Every structure is written in structure tokens, then in C-alpha cells.
């Protein structure tokens, strides 16, 4: 259910209509405000519009890098799952075909 959430960014109050939890919306707004603060501290002569654009670029850069890392992690997990699946399949096939090369009891007892 959507609700109205009041947030403050750069001293301006905004009312946001959102389905998410209000505390989440406030965290997002605080993050945006902190990014704007960082851009403005880095170059105090920027117009508000340029500061917003630069902060947006910083946030988009973080998003793109996080997405690339997520995709890399997913590929790694898929590769490892494929390897484990192959090993499990081999182990199950060997178990179904019985012991190879001798008596299982003598192998287990060391004889």
C-alpha cells in the first residue's frame, strides 16, 4: 500500500508517495543528500543543477559497478554449482555401479 513519506534533501522538504517502508525511503533520501553534500564539498562553486548531475553520476556509477559484481558473482556460483553437480553425478554413478577393482570390505578394513 502506498503512503506519503516526508524527506529532506539539501534543506528542501519533499513528500514522496511510495509502497516501500518509510524508514527505507528516508535512508534512500539520506544517501542522496550525503552524495550531494560530498559533491558540493568537493567543488563549492558548482550550481545546484551541476551538483545534482554529478551526484547522480556517482550514484549511477555505484549501481553499474554493483550490478557488474552481482553478475560476476552469479557466473562464479553457476560455474561452481556446475562443477559440484558433475562431481555429485560421478559419485552417484560410481556408487550405483558398485565398488571398482576389488572387495569393498577389504578396502575399508585396509586388508
Amino acid at each position: 500500500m502506498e503512503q506519503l513519506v516526508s524527506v529532506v534533501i539539501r534543506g528542501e522538504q519533499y513528500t514522496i508517495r511510495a509502497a516501500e517502508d518509510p524508514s527505507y525511503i528516508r535512508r534512500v533520501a539520506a544517501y542522496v543528500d550525503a552524495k550531494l553534500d560530498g559533491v558540493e564539498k568537493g567543488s563549492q562553486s558548482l550550481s545546484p543543477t551541476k551538483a545534482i548531475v554529478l551526484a547522480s553520476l556517482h550514484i549511477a556509477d555505484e549501481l553499474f559497478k554493483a550490478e557488474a559484481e552481482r553478475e560476476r558473482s552469479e557466473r562464479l556460483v553457476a560455474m561452481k554449482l556446475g562443477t559440484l553437480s558433475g562431481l555429485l553425478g560421478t559419485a552417484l554413478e560410481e556408487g550405483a555401479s558398485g565398488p571398482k577393482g576389488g572387495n569393498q570390505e577389504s578396502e575399508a578394513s585396509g586388508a
Side-chain angles (χ1 to χ4, degrees):
M1 169 156 106
E2 287 190 349
Q3 51 192 324
L4 299 177
V5 181
S6 182
V7 298
V8 177
I9 300 173
R10 308 310 312 140
E12 294 284 327
Q13 184 168 345
Y14 297 90
T15 301
I16 310 292
R17 181 183 310 271
E20 290 84 4
D21 186 86
S23 63
Y24 171 77
I25 300 301
R26 288 187 193 98
R27 280 186 21 236
V28 170
Y31 184 80
V32 169
D33 194 43
K35 285 294 180 183
L36 282 165
D37 189 47
V39 166
E40 289 176 349
K41 284 183 179 175
S43 181
Q44 296 177 355
S45 62
L46 287 177
S47 71
T49 301
K50 286 185 179 181
I52 290 168
V53 168
L54 288 175
S56 297
L57 286 171
H58 285 287
I59 293 168
D61 178 54
E62 291 174 348
L63 174 65
F64 278 63
K65 287 177 179 173
E67 179 68 15
E69 177 60 26
R70 184 191 59 78
E71 288 173 358
R72 187 193 70 75
S73 295
E74 284 180 355
R75 284 191 304 272
L76 182 62
V77 166
M79 184 179 73
K80 289 186 177 196
L81 281 174
T83 300
L84 288 172
S85 177
L87 291 171
L88 180 59
T90 300
L92 290 173
E93 287 173 7
E94 289 176 357
S97 65
K100 294 186 179 180
N103 185 337
Q104 190 174 7
E105 279 186 39
S106 63
E107 287 180 13
S109 65

